[in-house]
């Protein structure tokens, strides 16, 4: 597919970009990349967004239909453009896509689609960065913002026997709506926000039986209580001592969330904020509590392996669902792009984000690779302003 641009940008050359005013290249046309580009443009810094797919917001276009933001409209907007009030408090997937399209147009962002960056290196003269991209392109930039996304590559565990499973096995990234599963027995693996919401969607969409495999019991919070959003609480407490927030979270959990131990979902034995620091965000309730309480979604223990038409669970029991939907997370997949630069931690995540750059890689920025309790989109907006402020000074 040919490259295309939005706004006034021209198609990328097939060889080396030798513009004297080397732009800041932003890798990824999702919310994080667009926010960074808009903040840079507002500071008078030329930014070119490189997006491998055909449109901005590609990952949002692929999410399941039911999805709504778990963060409020007000605190999910990107720099320089509020979200319309008609979107409601909890913005839908479709409206999020519309917003990203409008955001690109409103800020007249220079977005080049159909170009995938495969490797980022220091420029030979040491004053900038060199990007290797599709079509043999080698692009020279003064700085690079990597915004390829937290949910980049779907991950399915290497369960023994999964290749020979007689039923349907798919990652949650492939799930769109419950229609194909009406009247069927479905096992959802993973009780994060995605798994919990898909399980509820399946129940409401007519699946005959829905079970959800739980390896680690999650913290579940109400998305809103008496009009007060959970995100507001998260913003207030995010810089408090972890132990203090854990104690407060334990108390609020006992008040606001029913004890579902008798239904196979006991209260977690670790602190809420301690878990967040380890990378596990609380599950916001959009129906899972009631679904478990009424027996419409049945928790089971973790999946260990597959055996023909059976799924073998950690307690040795066997079940035979028609379909298994793996809500088992994603990989950042940054190793090929920047792994050789020594800027990733043991889990493959950037060692810094926002306005900070690695000591060994000055001018290389990352955004969208943290999942804070206060909301990823809010964090991206903050990162964008910080990155733009830093680059505008140099």
């Amino acid at each position: 597919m040919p490259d295309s641009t939005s706004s006034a940008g021209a198609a990328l050359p097939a060889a080396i970009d030798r513009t004297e005013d080397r732009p800041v290249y932003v890798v990824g046309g999702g919310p994080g990349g667009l926010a960074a580009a808009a903040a840079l443009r507002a500071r008078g810094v030329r930014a070119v967004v490189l997006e491998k797919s055909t449109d901005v917001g590609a990952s949002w276009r692929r999410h399941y239909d039911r999805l709504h933001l778990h963060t409020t409209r007000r605190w999910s907007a990107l720099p320089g453009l509020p979200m319309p009030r008609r979107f409601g408090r909890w913005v839908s997937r479709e409206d999020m896509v519309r917003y990203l399209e409008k955001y690109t147009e409103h800020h007249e962002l220079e977005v080049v689609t159909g170009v995938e960056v495969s490797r980022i290196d220091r420029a030979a003269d040491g004053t900038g960065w060199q990007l290797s991209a599709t079509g043999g392109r080698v692009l020279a930039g003064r700085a690079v913002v990597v915004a390829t996304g937290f949910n980049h590559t779907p991950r399915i565990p290497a369960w023994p026997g999964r290749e020979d499973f007689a039923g349907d096995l798919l990652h949650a990234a492939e799930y769109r709506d419950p229609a194909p599963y009406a009247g069927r027995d479905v096992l959802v693996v993973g009780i994060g926000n995605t798994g919990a919401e898909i399980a509820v969607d399946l129940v409401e969409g007519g699946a005959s039986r829905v079970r959800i495999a739980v390896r680690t019991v999650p913290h579940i919070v109400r998305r809103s209580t008496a009009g007060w959003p959970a995100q507001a609480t998260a913003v207030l407490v995010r810089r408090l001592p972890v132990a203090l927030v854990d104690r407060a979270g334990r108390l609020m959990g006992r008040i606001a969330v029913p004890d579902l131990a008798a239904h196979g979902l006991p209260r977690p034995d670790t602190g809420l904020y301690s878990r967040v620091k380890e990378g596990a965000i609380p599950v916001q309730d959009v129906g899972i509590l009631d679904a478990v309480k009424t027996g419409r979604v049945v928790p089971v223990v973790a999946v260990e392996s597959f055996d023909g038409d059976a799924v073998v669970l950690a307690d040795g029991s066997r079940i035979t669902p028609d379909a298994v939907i793996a809500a088992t997370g994603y990989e950042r997949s940054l190793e090929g792009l920047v792994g050789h630069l020594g800027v990733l931690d043991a889990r493959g995540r950037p060692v810094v984000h926002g306005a900070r750059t690695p000591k060994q890689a000055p001018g290389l920025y990352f955004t969208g690779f943290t999942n804070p309790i206060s909301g990823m989109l809010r964090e991206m907006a903050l990162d964008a302003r910080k990155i733009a402020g830093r680059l505008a000074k140099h």
Side-chain angles (χ1 to χ4, degrees):
M1 183 171 294
D3 307 328
S4 61
T5 64
S6 66
S7 184
L12 287 172
I16 297 179
D17 183 328
R18 295 190 182 278
T19 53
E20 292 183 2
D21 56 335
R22 290 179 297 178
V24 174
Y25 279 110
V26 180
V27 185
L34 298 179
L40 285 164
R41 192 176 191 281
R43 290 273 195 159
V45 179
R46 184 189 174 204
V48 177
V49 180
L50 305 176
E51 168 55 45
K52 69 177 182 179
S53 64
T54 58
D55 299 285
V56 298
S59 64
W60 282 93
R61 297 173 191 274
R62 295 191 298 266
H63 285 315
Y64 51 94
D65 294 344
R66 177 194 178 96
L67 179 65
H68 284 68
L69 293 181
H70 292 162
T71 53
T72 65
R73 180 189 73 248
R74 176 187 174 189
W75 282 336
S76 299
L78 303 179
L81 184 67
M83 289 187 173
R85 293 180 65 87
R86 68 177 182 277
F87 283 4
R89 194 178 203 189
W90 313 107
V91 179
S92 71
R93 179 194 65 83
E94 290 184 352
D95 282 338
M96 186 66 190
V97 171
R98 293 188 185 99
Y99 174 72
L100 295 177
E101 291 173 341
K102 181 63 178 178
Y103 191 83
T104 303
E105 177 186 343
H106 175 80
H107 288 293
E108 299 181 339
L109 300 182
E110 194 172 349
V111 180
V112 184
T113 60
V115 173
E116 182 175 7
V117 178
S118 57
R119 184 179 170 98
I120 299 172
D121 291 288
R122 292 299 303 272
D125 61 7
T127 63
W129 291 90
Q130 179 176 290
L131 294 79
S132 301
T134 50
R137 298 177 180 84
V138 179
L139 310 173
R142 55 173 288 200
V144 178
V145 180
V146 180
T148 50
F150 193 85
N151 296 339
H152 187 275
T153 304
R155 179 183 67 240
I156 297 182
W159 292 304
R162 75 175 192 183
E163 296 84 1
D164 300 320
F165 178 54
D168 297 332
L169 173 60
L170 65 151
H171 191 273
E174 301 175 70
Y175 177 85
R176 293 294 173 270
D177 62 69
Y181 307 96
R184 303 180 72 192
D185 183 336
V186 186
L187 172 66
V188 179
V189 183
I191 193 170
N193 278 295
T194 296
E197 190 160 6
I198 287 176
V200 172
D201 200 32
L202 289 164
V203 166
E204 295 179 355
S208 62
R209 186 176 191 178
V210 178
R211 285 171 284 204
I212 188 163
V214 181
R215 181 172 296 278
T216 303
V217 179
H219 286 272
I220 302 177
V221 299
R222 302 288 186 182
R223 185 169 66 174
S224 178
T225 303
W228 179 263
Q231 185 187 11
T233 300
V235 171
L236 291 175
V237 307
R238 66 174 306 205
R239 300 199 183 280
L240 294 178
V242 172
L244 177 62
V245 179
D246 280 349
R247 288 196 295 271
R250 188 175 299 111
L251 175 62
M252 290 304 299
R254 292 186 179 279
I255 294 172
V257 178
D259 186 355
L260 298 175
H263 301 276
L265 196 62
R267 296 187 187 279
D269 57 7
T270 56
L272 183 152
Y273 206 21
S274 293
R275 189 78 67 79
V276 169
K277 291 297 185 180
E278 296 171 357
I281 295 298
V283 173
Q284 294 209 14
D285 176 40
V286 291
I288 190 64
L289 290 174
D290 184 65
V292 170
K293 186 176 181 179
T294 58
R296 294 178 297 153
V297 172
V298 177
V300 297
V301 297
V303 172
E304 285 295 305
S305 62
F306 289 76
D307 184 12
D309 64 349
V311 177
V312 182
L313 303 179
D315 60 4
S317 60
R318 300 163 67 92
I319 59 176
T320 55
D322 300 314
V324 175
I325 300 175
T328 46
Y330 295 78
E331 302 287 351
R332 307 303 87 90
S333 298
L334 291 170
E335 288 78 8
L337 192 66
V338 296
H340 56 287
L341 298 173
V343 297
L344 304 178
D345 64 17
R347 295 187 296 174
R349 300 185 183 188
V351 295
V352 297
H353 72 94
R356 294 183 297 160
T357 63
K359 291 182 179 180
Q360 68 274 36
L364 181 64
Y365 299 85
F366 296 89
T367 184
F369 297 99
T370 60
N371 197 8
I373 192 173
S374 53
M376 184 179 289
L377 289 168
R378 179 177 179 273
E379 188 76 17
M380 288 175 180
L382 294 173
D383 276 355
R385 294 186 177 96
K386 292 174 183 177
I387 291 170
R390 178 72 176 273
L391 283 170
K393 292 179 181 178
H394 301 280

